[in-house]
Amino acid sequence: MLNTLKLWSLALWLMWPAYAVGGPEEDRIAFQAYFQARFPEVPLSDYVNGIYALDENARQQWEQIEEFPPYEFAVEEGQLLFDRPFGNGRTYGDCFDNQGIGVRQDYPRFDPVLGEVVTLELAINQCRQLNGEPPYDYESNELVSLSAYMAWTSRGKKINVVIPEDPRALAAYESGKQFYYSKRGQLNFACSDCHVTSAGLYVRADHLSASLGHPSHFPVYRSKLGRMISLHSRFYGCIRDVRARPFEEQSIEYRNLEYFLTYMSNGLIINGPGARK
Amino acid sequence: MNFRILFPLLAVSLLAAAPGPLLGLEVSRELPITADQAESAIKAAEAVRKRAAAAGNEWLQTGSLLEEAREAVSNEQWQRALERAQHATRQSELAIEQAERESTAWRERVVR
């Protein structure tokens, strides 16, 4: 009997590494190390440029686009909206640390009162409602422009997503991590299948970007759509593309996914808003 | 030779040998689908779709297939409605299987 127990203990000990799930910081270190080993010629700091860190030809086109950035209009509109007082005389600045300037890098954050992850876009709408204003639609130009302006004021700040000592925060992170690595949809793809395993490879005529640095540059102006889109809008498109039914923007699923994904990019800088094909 | 008999016989033989669709006729070797069967299939498909959605893994096309099935019912196209509903059911079953499999399989993909 004792020998049987010992054998089972040994078997469990041997199996443990395969199933063990590291903590967020171990995950982040492994995630960043993976891409550095995979693309040793790409500096870590360059991953904030998305696919342009991996695709030299596309990078040249993008650098030309950046000479007259198509997102400038959104930044200007966002600043106008940001500075315009609400009906009660207060402003967006009153809802955020540092009057809302240079805070993008701290989002998403876990709200202990709400018990959920709060993204910057959700915080903007919370601010509006707190001040008696109706929330914006998450796909609206106004909300994306406000987010673009707040990202603009945060350029160069290091992403600093915090997972506090709260089991609910860790559960939210784990939920986002599970979402990221789970295959879904009729095409049976996980986010990681494209943006980890196949990063840098072709998908039809384009190269797939690395997930590292993904959240640094949103919202982005997408040339093919002719408008600004949020990170969650990009999530929506990816999930639809693998032929799964997408979740709504700012759903708990996407907020947790953003929490995990942004934590993976901790230490990289904010360079949003961006421009993409 | 009696042509008054031969020509009608020839015509009847050709018609009998011609495939049904050539004559614009539906060829069915099975009993036609009833409205009740079509509607039951849609009801069953909707129930499985809800299970897939509850698992957080509804597939993209399933809702459209169910809409097409309902539209076919409203047009009294019972066979079409049944086929669309069965397709939707199968998609949802596969989506549920996928979700169950991925509830643990995702861990194998975590970058370590």
Side-chain angles (χ1 to χ4, degrees):
Chain A
M1 179 68 181
L2 198 61
N3 281 341
T4 311
L5 277 174
K6 278 181 184 170
L7 276 173
W8 271 110
S9 303
L10 180 66
L12 282 173
W13 182 78
L14 287 171
M15 283 168 62
W16 177 249
Y19 295 97
V21 178
E25 197 52 16
E26 289 88 344
D27 289 345
R28 184 192 66 78
I29 290 166
F31 200 79
Q32 297 192 1
Y34 170 87
F35 288 105
Q36 287 181 282
R38 174 100 179 264
F39 304 105
E41 72 284 3
V42 177
L44 181 63
S45 60
D46 211 26
Y47 282 93
V48 296
N49 297 319
I51 188 55
Y52 308 121
L54 307 180
D55 184 339
E56 184 54 36
N57 288 336
R59 187 184 184 111
Q60 287 172 10
Q61 295 170 29
W62 168 66
E63 283 172 346
Q64 288 182 344
I65 288 171
E66 281 284 337
E67 287 177 19
F68 299 97
Y71 48 76
E72 270 188 345
F73 297 107
V75 173
E76 287 168 12
E77 187 196 355
Q79 183 171 12
L80 285 173
L81 292 166
F82 188 86
D83 292 338
R84 187 182 301 157
F86 300 126
N88 63 5
R90 294 169 67 83
T91 66
Y92 288 105
D94 296 323
C95 297
F96 292 91
D97 295 341
N98 198 37
Q99 287 292 299
I101 303 301
V103 297
R104 164 88 257 186
Q105 71 282 357
D106 298 327
Y107 286 87
R109 55 169 54 170
F110 186 78
D111 182 336
V113 177
L114 196 61
E116 291 180 359
V117 171
V118 173
T119 62
L120 182 62
E121 289 77 9
L122 183 61
I124 290 170
N125 261 348
Q126 284 177 334
C127 179
R128 290 182 59 77
Q129 290 176 288
L130 191 68
N131 288 287
E133 304 287 334
Y136 283 131
D137 187 293
Y138 285 109
E139 293 179 54
S140 67
N141 288 335
E142 289 87 351
L143 188 55
V144 179
S145 295
L146 278 162
S147 172
Y149 171 66
M150 292 178 80
W152 176 262
T153 68
S154 311
R155 278 192 164 189
K157 304 268 187 189
K158 282 188 176 177
I159 297 172
N160 183 35
V161 171
V162 174
I163 298 168
E165 290 286 328
D166 184 327
R168 297 170 302 170
L170 190 59
Y173 168 86
E174 285 293 333
S175 167
K177 180 177 163 183
Q178 179 172 354
F179 191 104
Y180 182 80
Y181 286 109
S182 293
K183 288 180 185 287
R184 61 188 67 246
Q186 206 169 355
L187 299 190
N188 199 37
F189 271 41
C191 304
S192 60
D193 286 338
C194 285
H195 298 290
V196 174
T197 314
S198 306
L201 303 180
Y202 274 109
V203 56
R204 300 179 78 177
D206 293 312
H207 286 103
L208 287 159
S209 56
S211 270
L212 180 57
H214 264 167
S216 71
H217 45 270
F218 277 85
V220 302
Y221 181 89
R222 287 211 76 186
S223 301
K224 80 169 188 177
L225 300 174
R227 63 181 173 86
M228 300 288 294
I229 65 158
S230 66
L231 180 61
H232 286 210
S233 180
R234 184 59 270 193
F235 289 163
Y236 188 101
C238 279
I239 300 303
R240 182 202 55 215
D241 289 349
V242 300
R243 302 188 69 74
R245 185 176 179 182
F247 296 91
E248 294 301 315
E249 290 193 32
Q250 300 302 322
S251 61
I252 193 74
E253 288 85 359
Y254 287 170
R255 278 184 280 143
N256 290 345
L257 176 61
E258 184 180 340
Y259 198 37
F260 164 76
L261 200 57
T262 314
Y263 191 90
M264 290 301 97
S265 291
N266 263 0
L268 302 183
I269 60 160
I270 293 290
N271 62 337
R276 293 294 181 271
K277 283 205 286 187
Chain B
M1 180 153 305
N2 190 340
F3 287 99
R4 279 190 290 185
I5 296 173
L6 186 64
F7 278 122
L9 272 175
L10 191 62
V12 168
S13 304
L14 283 171
L15 282 171
L22 197 67
L23 304 174
L25 300 173
E26 287 280 331
V27 177
S28 176
R29 293 182 177 82
E30 294 174 3
L31 289 174
I33 302 303
T34 65
D36 282 350
Q37 284 173 304
E39 282 165 3
S40 296
I42 291 173
K43 203 173 169 184
E46 181 59 27
V48 195
R49 186 198 65 77
K50 282 182 180 166
R51 281 175 50 213
N57 199 34
E58 186 180 339
W59 285 5
L60 185 66
Q61 196 193 7
T62 313
S64 307
L65 285 166
L66 275 165
E67 276 176 29
E68 286 176 26
R70 291 192 187 98
E71 191 183 331
V73 163
S74 63
N75 292 330
E76 299 186 1
Q77 296 173 305
W78 316 124
Q79 178 71 37
R80 180 181 165 86
L82 181 79
E83 285 168 4
R84 293 296 186 277
Q86 286 175 337
H87 192 170
T89 298
R90 188 62 188 137
Q91 281 206 350
S92 297
E93 287 169 350
L94 289 169
I96 292 164
E97 279 178 33
Q98 185 183 49
E100 286 170 353
R101 187 172 61 246
E102 289 302 308
S103 67
T104 54
W106 68 273
R107 293 181 188 279
E108 298 297 329
R109 292 181 209 108
V110 175
V111 174
R112 294 188 176 88

